[in-house]
Structure formats: structure tokens, C-alpha cells
Amino acid sequence: MSTEHEVSHAPHGSRRDYHKGFILSIILTAIPFWLVMADVLQSRTLTATVLILFAVAQILVHMVYFLHMDARAERGWIMLSLLFTIVVLLIAVSGSLWIMYHLNTNMMPIDPKAARNIP
């Protein structure tokens, strides 16, 4: 029996990197919270767009500082698998939205009086 263990030489961040990621995460959470709670932006569409941008930035911060994902990790295979996952998710979400939109527009309209009689 061998007592040797396999050692992974994956890149790990320093304590400074973890602190930097933590501070960025707090900032990227606090600003959208303030934008919504203080009703800073007048337009709901603009507010939603800004929140989505902050969410994407938050995802990137977590990927870089906590998951240590970059182009060098695993010789690029992690980035390739991440891109594949993003493409599959985009196809699934956009296809679902497209189907729901067309189902909504192509459904036969029903008047409120007839809707009350449906069991």
C-alpha cells in the first residue's frame, strides 16, 4: 500500500486576493441594493439593466477571486467548458422565452365572462 497522496497543483489565491474579492463582492451587492431601496433611478428598465450589469460583474468577481478561473487554469479547458455552458444556457433560456412568447400571442383570447364558467 502506498501512503502517497495525489497533490493538486491548482493555483490558489493569496489572502490578499480573497480580501480583495470579498470587498468587491460587498460593493457589488451594496450598490444595487441602494439603487433599488432609495429608488435612485427613475426608470424601472434602466434600474433592471444596471442590476443585471452588477450581477454579471459579481459573477466575474466570484469566478476570478474565489473559483480561480482564468485562461491559464487547466490549460484553458475550464474556460472552454464555461463558454460551452454559457452557450447552452443562452440557447435554453432564449428558446424557452421564444416559445412562451409565441404561445402567449397565438392562444385564443377568452372573455372574462367565459373564464368564470370554466371549471
Side-chain angles (χ1 to χ4, degrees), residues 44-57:
R44 285 181 165 239
T45 305
L46 180 61
T47 303
T49 304
V50 170
L51 290 179
I52 289 170
L53 291 175
F54 273 101
V56 169

Side-chain angles (χ1 to χ4, degrees), residues 97-109:
L97 291 174
W98 179 59
I99 289 170
M100 287 187 288
Y101 171 76
H102 283 285
L103 282 175
N104 186 39
T105 57
N106 294 328
M107 293 295 288
M108 196 167 68

Side-chain angles (χ1 to χ4, degrees), residues 7-62:
V7 178
S8 173
H9 296 289
H12 293 287
S14 65
R15 187 176 295 244
R16 183 174 184 223
D17 287 339
Y18 285 117
H19 285 157
K20 195 184 312 181
F22 180 68
I23 297 298
L24 284 171
S25 295
I26 290 174
I27 291 169
L28 291 172
T29 301
I31 292 174
F33 182 79
W34 171 73
L35 286 174
V36 171
M37 294 305 289
D39 200 23
V40 176
L41 303 174
Q42 301 302 323
S43 169
R44 285 181 165 239
T45 305
L46 180 61
T47 303
T49 304
V50 170
L51 290 179
I52 289 170
L53 291 175
F54 273 101
V56 169
Q58 179 90 281
I59 290 169
L60 293 174
V61 164
H62 282 259

Side-chain angles (χ1 to χ4, degrees), residues 84-98:
F84 177 75
T85 303
I86 290 171
V87 168
V88 169
L89 281 173
L90 284 175
I91 290 170
V93 169
S94 61
S96 298
L97 291 174
W98 179 59

Side-chain angles (χ1 to χ4, degrees), residues 6-14 18 64 66-70 72-75 78:
E6 289 185 29
V7 178
S8 173
H9 296 289
H12 293 287
S14 65
Y18 285 117
V64 170
F66 300 121
L67 298 176
H68 311 295
M69 291 180 70
D70 58 2
R72 297 180 313 237
E74 300 284 334
R75 289 182 275 150
I78 291 178

